Amino acid sequence: MKKVLVILNEQHKLMESQEALLNERFKDNWRIIPISQNGMTKIQQDEALRDIKGHVLVFASPIPYLLGKAVAQGETTLVLHNDLRDKKELPNGKIISVVAKEGWELLEI
């Protein structure tokens, strides 16, 4: 089985439900590829594309150019997706919507 690489901004953390979904689908055959909080230049993304060639890619953090190029070069590419939202009240009383902790899916591009 191909190694599974999870693309994740270093400022982000996978939720327990996301990790469970990855473990259920890929067992222990996945690892996180941390992406700098400052992002990546186009040159860095082109270099990364060479390094990730032949692997299964799961995008937990959006990196549009890298995602698009990975799909274009024929890599097996998935995204973590959740269309459920929870309402959360901030200390100032403002109510916002945040992504729910449950309801995650792995969608293949």
Side-chain angles (χ1 to χ4, degrees):
M1 178 181 216
K2 293 180 180 181
K3 187 71 172 175
V4 178
L5 306 177
V6 178
I7 310 300
L8 183 70
N9 183 299
E10 66 185 2
Q11 287 185 310
H12 299 163
K13 181 181 175 199
L14 291 175
M15 295 179 185
E16 286 181 27
S17 56
Q18 291 172 319
E19 286 186 11
L21 183 60
L22 289 165
N23 287 329
E24 178 184 312
R25 175 92 179 256
F26 302 115
K27 309 295 180 227
D28 292 326
N29 191 38
W30 62 273
R31 69 181 172 96
I32 292 175
I33 300 297
I35 303 300
S36 170
Q37 65 184 354
N38 298 320
M40 300 172 76
T41 65
K42 179 186 176 301
I43 292 170
Q44 290 171 320
Q45 291 180 67
D46 287 334
E47 290 170 356
L49 283 165
R50 286 190 289 278
D51 295 339
I52 61 180
K53 189 165 183 65
H55 293 82
V56 174
L57 307 175
V58 176
F59 282 80
S61 297
I63 304 172
Y65 177 78
L66 188 61
L67 173 63
K69 293 297 275 189
V71 170
Q73 77 181 25
E75 305 302 334
T76 302
T77 307
L78 300 98
V79 294
L80 280 165
H81 167 76
N82 189 343
D83 59 1
L84 300 177
R85 299 291 181 267
D86 288 331
K87 297 214 182 290
K88 179 178 180 179
E89 185 173 352
L90 300 177
N92 66 3
K94 183 177 179 181
I95 300 199
I96 61 171
S97 291
V98 295
V99 177
K101 291 181 181 180
E102 301 301 322
W104 287 95
E105 300 175 89
L106 275 170
L107 303 179
E108 189 164 346
I109 305 287

